[in-house]
Amino acid sequence: ALFLCCTAEKKFRGTMNKIAAVSFSFDSVALAAVAMASTLTIGEAYMRTSLVDADSAKEARYPPLSSFITEAHIRELEEKNLVVIHNVLSVKTLKHARENIEKLSDAMDVTNHLNECDVRQDQILSIRESDHSEQGVHGDALIHCVKLLRGIPFLLNKFHYLTSHSYLVPKQCQLARYKPDGSSVYVRHLDRCNLSMNEMGVVEFLRASDYRGRVVTAILYLNKSDWDSGGELRVFDHHEKGEERDEKGLDIIPTGGKLILFDSSKVEHQVLASYGDDPRYALTCWVNGILT
């Protein structure tokens, strides 16, 4: 009886050891899988950027822009966080740019679903110079507009803009179309993400790397030069944390050929609804860099 009891105990211990070994092996595999998944998630978040092939300010230089932006404009941008520059495009260039855009209408219809409908109702399309040179899908007038926006950081450096430095210029600009339906808007927002890692979490913080690096927003309007169909850009005065928030704002009419520059980290803004017969067009470039 004693022999049988000892034998049974040995078998029991052996079985438990095997169960423990299997359990340890399963835990190890699970731990490895979690570690791998976490690494892949963080890696994906880190690599989610549109600046992989970005240019320096010097590489993006566009000489024709010097005819429109002066040192006085850069000083005003420093002082007021915003500057409005008129008549950057001629009536003829505006007309050709809109003709170029009309050929992209079907592509813009497809991209409408990319936006959060409760935040913005515009239709967007990424425009790159290389798309035109390699595939011929964009017209010369529209590419001229892209080059104008991408050339801005060179002049920020030339005139010693003091608010930021070390610029990265994305290859692409964003073309936005708002239908004149009286309801398509973009709610009040800031172009730069100023939240900390603690507030966002590691993954979302990494995914927002492009947004966290924005320092200057440049918007060029491609509407008719006598535009009077709403769609104003409403900009709000900067306020520090704890200060009273500006609720009135300043409305800027999106007249064709008008160029707006503002500090991405300070100027909250929104797009009001437009109406009439023609869509509202805006081409935007977000310049990345380091705040001083």
Side-chain angles (χ1 to χ4, degrees):
L2 180 60
F3 172 77
L4 291 175
C5 183
C6 291
T7 301
E9 184 180 356
K10 288 181 179 179
K11 288 183 178 180
F12 176 76
R13 289 179 178 176
T15 300
M16 293 304 294
N17 287 336
K18 289 180 180 179
I19 292 174
V22 171
S23 177
F24 177 77
S25 177
F26 176 79
D27 289 348
S28 298
V29 170
L31 182 61
V34 170
M36 182 176 292
S38 298
T39 300
L40 290 174
T41 300
I42 292 175
E44 177 272 332
Y46 178 76
M47 295 301 293
R48 185 182 290 190
T49 176
S50 60
L51 300 174
V52 173
D53 58 352
D55 289 325
S56 66
K58 186 176 181 179
E59 290 170 328
R61 179 189 181 193
Y62 191 49
L65 186 62
S66 298
S67 301
F68 306 104
I69 297 182
T70 66
E71 183 173 3
H73 289 132
I74 303 306
R75 298 287 80 80
E76 183 175 348
L77 178 60
E78 285 176 345
E79 179 183 350
K80 300 181 179 179
N81 302 317
L82 168 78
V83 63
V84 179
I85 304 170
H86 300 272
N87 302 318
V88 173
L89 300 174
S90 67
V91 173
K92 182 179 179 180
T93 302
L94 276 171
K95 179 177 181 294
H96 289 322
R98 286 196 302 276
E99 290 173 351
N100 296 161
I101 292 171
E102 287 174 4
K103 296 178 181 178
L104 302 172
S105 181
D106 290 343
M108 298 194 78
D109 287 337
V110 172
T111 60
N112 188 42
H113 69 281
L114 297 178
N115 296 323
E116 301 175 55
C117 60
D118 58 335
V119 174
R120 56 190 296 187
Q121 294 85 48
D122 58 334
Q123 298 165 302
I124 61 173
L125 192 66
S126 179
I127 306 294
R128 297 169 67 100
E129 292 178 47
S130 59
D131 295 337
H132 180 59
S133 60
E134 295 173 5
Q135 305 170 33
V137 296
H138 304 317
D140 292 338
L142 183 55
I143 293 303
H144 168 66
C145 296
V146 170
K147 289 180 177 179
L148 285 173
L149 291 180
R150 297 187 70 246
I152 289 169
F154 179 82
L155 295 181
L156 294 177
N157 281 339
K158 177 181 178 181
F159 296 125
H160 306 291
Y161 180 56
L162 300 178
T163 306
S164 57
H165 60 90
S166 303
Y167 302 114
L168 284 176
V169 189
K171 293 283 190 183
Q172 66 282 343
C173 291
Q174 183 188 93
L175 176 64
R177 177 179 68 185
Y178 289 83
K179 292 183 177 181
D181 53 13
S183 60
S184 295
V185 300
Y186 196 153
V187 301
R188 181 171 178 169
H189 65 285
L190 198 64
D191 281 349
R192 178 186 174 98
C193 176
N194 291 324
L195 299 177
S196 68
M197 185 183 295
N198 287 337
E199 293 172 300
M200 299 182 67
V202 174
V203 173
E204 290 306 316
F205 185 78
L206 292 175
R207 283 177 176 164
S209 61
D210 287 3
Y211 295 92
R212 291 185 290 105
R214 291 176 177 177
V215 292
V216 174
T217 296
I219 304 174
L220 180 59
Y221 292 113
L222 305 179
N223 308 305
K224 292 180 179 179
S225 56
D226 58 350
W227 175 271
D228 62 351
S229 301
E232 292 86 356
L233 177 72
R234 180 168 292 172
V235 296
F236 300 90
D237 287 338
H238 173 64
H239 64 281
E240 297 293 343
K241 195 171 183 178
E243 294 181 348
E244 184 177 354
R245 193 167 95 145
D246 175 20
E247 296 294 348
K248 184 178 180 181
L250 169 70
D251 288 350
I252 300 173
I253 299 173
T255 307
K258 184 178 292 183
L259 174 63
I260 314 292
L261 304 180
F262 60 80
D263 188 326
S264 306
S265 70
K266 294 181 178 180
V267 178
E268 289 185 286
H269 54 287
Q270 66 184 92
V271 177
L272 305 185
S274 56
Y275 46 85
D277 299 323
D278 300 314
R280 175 192 187 276
Y281 291 114
L283 189 67
T284 303
C285 179
W286 292 283
V287 179
N288 279 56
I290 300 174
L291 293 175
T292 303

